[in-house]
Amino acid sequence: MSIMSSRTFLLLALAALALVTPVPIHAWEMKDAGLERVSVPIESHPIPTRTSADLDQDGALETLVLTHGRAVIQSGDETRWQSSETWDVQQAMISDLNRDDLPEATLLVWRPFKPWPVDTWLPSGGRIDDFHDARGMSCQIILVGWYQGAFRERWAGSALAAPVDRFAVADLKGDGRHYLIALEGKYDDPPWAPSHFLKVWEWNGFGFSVVYEMPGSFSLVTATQTQ
């Protein structure tokens, strides 16, 4: 291990005003008070997206593959799990966002909107009725992992109020805990529209809580690290 401690940065591409305008890149680093703007590091390397791990703890690696909106977990040539045909998986990587010391597949999913079951009898139901686009598709973050002898959804929240356009995962504080960094847009934004918010989420034991948010106009987020 290097004597010098590593540092993790978020590099954000701010959406340009025009297609011919260069896209400016800015860097932020997690401090005690939240994300702090810093100089773009000269020597850093992107944190690689993890797509293989021993997900079922049998001593052999599984591989997470994303092709044409379909996520598949494979052991060699054997398919162990695959996402539903009704899902459109936009992004997939392996992480430990729920901090149980076991790797899971983290998926950014669009799937048919489902209201809360309690809305069928609650007099004040329907609070998430607008959390979908014109096609009736909602955005969710879903964790898939090994549980009770099979690959299952370990966690899947309700439809998000604001869809996630793209996400990154990083140990922002150097303490071994993963954070979810998300760029959020709006339902029915066109595909080329910039994201409107950067949010940092952490696991609270039951789901995710926002620990930092910043409005802006973003086109890309990536995590990098120095040694």
Side-chain angles (χ1 to χ4, degrees):
M1 183 175 180
S2 174
I3 297 176
M4 296 180 62
S5 60
S6 63
R7 297 170 64 190
T8 299
F9 302 89
L10 295 181
L11 298 187
L12 288 168
L14 306 188
L17 297 177
L19 294 178
V20 296
T21 304
V23 176
I25 304 294
H26 297 294
W28 275 263
E29 186 177 12
M30 181 65 84
K31 304 288 188 177
D32 290 339
L35 287 181
E36 179 180 305
R37 175 85 174 271
V38 295
S39 300
V40 176
I42 297 175
E43 295 185 5
S44 65
H45 58 273
I47 298 174
T49 299
R50 191 179 177 195
T51 57
S52 63
D54 183 4
L55 296 173
D56 59 3
Q57 304 297 295
D58 68 348
L61 293 179
E62 282 73 44
T63 302
L64 175 64
V65 180
L66 177 60
T67 306
H68 303 302
R70 198 79 181 271
V72 177
I73 295 174
Q74 297 177 330
S75 294
D77 295 330
E78 179 187 0
T79 296
R80 306 286 302 281
W81 177 90
Q82 59 184 346
S83 58
S84 167
E85 293 182 355
T86 64
W87 294 13
D88 180 11
V89 183
Q90 294 289 307
Q91 198 176 344
M93 68 176 66
I94 293 173
S95 63
D96 183 25
L97 285 171
N98 64 359
R99 300 175 179 178
D100 62 355
D101 295 325
L102 297 172
E104 291 95 19
T106 302
L107 309 178
L108 171 57
V109 177
W110 284 78
R111 63 179 178 177
F113 171 74
K114 291 182 180 180
W116 287 338
V118 295
D119 283 353
T120 59
W121 55 269
L122 273 180
S124 59
R127 284 175 290 174
I128 68 169
D129 280 354
D130 295 331
F131 296 176
H132 59 81
D133 64 12
R135 304 170 300 160
M137 299 289 284
S138 60
C139 183
Q140 293 176 266
I141 296 293
I142 297 176
L143 307 182
V144 175
W146 186 255
Y147 183 66
Q148 294 183 344
F151 287 104
R152 311 174 187 273
E153 290 183 26
R154 296 301 312 274
W155 183 86
S158 303
L160 292 167
V164 173
D165 295 328
R166 57 196 56 84
F167 73 89
V169 173
D171 173 9
L172 294 178
K173 293 186 176 180
D175 57 6
R177 299 185 301 171
H178 281 169
Y179 289 81
L180 176 68
I181 305 104
L183 295 185
E184 293 186 356
K186 295 180 180 179
Y187 285 111
D188 292 321
D189 270 350
W192 59 86
S195 302
H196 306 290
F197 269 94
L198 164 77
K199 290 186 180 179
V200 178
W201 302 75
E202 72 172 340
W203 186 253
N204 61 27
F206 302 98
F208 291 95
S209 298
V210 177
V211 296
Y212 184 84
E213 62 180 287
M214 177 172 59
S217 184
F218 310 108
S219 59
L220 181 68
V221 61
T222 187
T224 67
Q225 195 170 64
T226 61
Q227 296 294 334

